[in-house]
Amino acid sequence: MKIINVVGARPNFMKIAPLMAAYKNASGIEPMLVHTGQHYDERMSDLFFRQLGIPEPDINLGVGSASHAVQTAEIMKSFEPVVLEHKPDAVLVVGDVNSTIACGLVAVKLGVKLIHVEAGLRSGDRTMPEEINRVLTDSISDLLFCTETSGVDNLKREGVSAEKIFLVGNVMIDTLLKNKEKANASKILDESNLSAGAYAVLTLHRPANVDDPVVLGRILDALEVIQQDLPIVFPIHPRTRKNIAGSSLAGRVKTMTDLRLIDPVGYLDFLKLTSSARLVLTDSGGIQEETTILKVPCITLRENTERPVTAEIGSNQIVGTDPEKIISAYREVIDGHWRESRIPDLWDGHAAERIVEILTERL
Ligand code: UD1
Ligand code: UDP
């Protein structure tokens, strides 16, 4: 049984790594790996292959950056001949990026079964490009693997038949648990002159936060106050770096001496940074889950989340972008008023094995 596995953007790599490893112990599955090239910088792509032991992609479509329509169309145009040539029994996509929906559409239109890993997550916010990708991918998938019960409930509510849905746990957490010890050896704290427990980590890349200088400016209002109290290390996403560089905010950022901008870091360094941090400020999806496992307070700079379990029982709080609310959440952490995290069901490091077992039975 041939399965084409698709990756494209940074958060896909940690999701595919444990699956590629689990296939090795499964008889009868012949996996192929296709990289769409949606992300292509060394620090947004290749570094993760090396650190996570992901095999070299069999094919890299090299599509690169473009508008949503052009990027999605280019991925579809270049992925279709791959499916036609290799005639897989199934295509497996992860997450919610443009590569996910583009390759999913190509597969189903050629009559190839589609498997979606991390299905059913819903923020309820249709202005978020990922939400459109999630809803559309799930609606055309044949097998849907969920990380949390909200995902299962959402899919059933949308009319997906129960026999296609499996609650298997979280492949991103498989990768975290596997690499935690290795990450401990990272030298990033020394290199960045940081002491464990005495700094915050920040990531920002959601278009709603970083494409509008007014919104970004309000987030900076809060960061300006926080960095006077606690250094903030900010591995900056290329979208955000470009937006700041091209705006009037660049000068302001420069004056914040303890808002320390660094290039995006590899997985092991990032895991070391987050696991030793006093708190994390983020608008990332995956980082809300990782901080839940690490039991590190997470202040989410968004008005909603598609990963409600992280806020219900994890260490996450959905705070939004109002500077006063961000500062007040920060103070709660510093004063010790933050709920200790509980680990969601099945986030135990074995999600990929469960998925591969189900694929072996079902396909
Ligand atoms: C994408 C995903 C988002 C995910 C994020 C993870 C979509 C719609 N968005 O957002 O869900 O959370 O990846 O990081 O799929 N760029 C570079 N080098 C790179 C990649 C991008 O410089 O290697 C710059 C380019 O200027 C590009 C911009 O970043 O235009 C945005 O990249 P893109 O892949 O379109 O979206 P992301 O914001 O990265
Ligand atoms: N990450 C990383 N280096 C960084 C920032 C993030 O390795 O500089 C990892 C992080 O640990 C998580 C993933 O990237 O595993 C999250 O990706 P991102 O925030 O880009 O996307 P999202 O989860 O929001 O889709």
Side-chain angles (χ1 to χ4, degrees), residues 187-214:
K187 301 272 178 284
I188 185 88
L189 296 195
D190 292 342
E191 285 163 11
S192 313
N193 204 14
L194 297 166
S195 311
Y199 64 92
V201 175
L202 168 72
T203 80
L204 282 177
H205 69 275
R206 296 258 92 85
N209 283 345
V210 304
D211 286 4
D212 179 346
V214 176

Side-chain angles (χ1 to χ4, degrees), residues 9-12 14-15 39 43-44 48 51 96-97 118 130 134 172 175-176 202-203 205-206 234-237 262-271 273-274 282-288 290 302 306-307:
R10 177 168 67 187
N12 298 159
M14 38 305 273
K15 294 170 194 172
H39 284 179
R43 281 164 171 262
M44 295 297 287
F48 294 91
Q51 291 198 342
D96 54 18
V97 302
E118 201 185 84
E130 296 80 3
R134 293 179 196 119
M172 204 166 202
T175 293
L176 185 150
L202 168 72
T203 80
H205 69 275
R206 296 258 92 85
F234 183 15
I236 189 166
H237 189 285
I262 58 174
D263 283 335
V265 295
Y267 185 79
L268 298 174
D269 283 344
F270 193 74
L271 184 49
L273 276 179
T274 47
T282 192
D283 60 9
S284 160
I287 295 170
Q288 298 172 58
E290 292 171 341
R302 290 173 47 190
E306 60 288 332
R307 293 161 159 91

Side-chain angles (χ1 to χ4, degrees), residues 17-82:
L19 285 163
M20 298 309 286
Y23 289 135
K24 289 192 188 138
N25 301 321
S27 55
I29 295 186
E30 188 194 329
M32 264 182 77
L33 184 60
V34 172
H35 190 339
T36 64
Q38 177 175 345
H39 284 179
Y40 43 85
D41 286 350
E42 157 72 19
R43 281 164 171 262
M44 295 297 287
S45 176
D46 287 9
L47 186 52
F48 294 91
F49 281 77
R50 290 200 300 279
Q51 291 198 342
L52 302 178
I54 306 169
E56 281 270 308
D58 296 285
I59 297 166
N60 190 324
L61 306 176
V63 294
S65 304
S67 69
H68 281 276
V70 171
Q71 186 176 62
T72 308
E74 287 300 330
I75 297 169
M76 290 183 71
K77 269 167 65 184
S78 8
F79 188 56
E80 186 177 55
V82 173

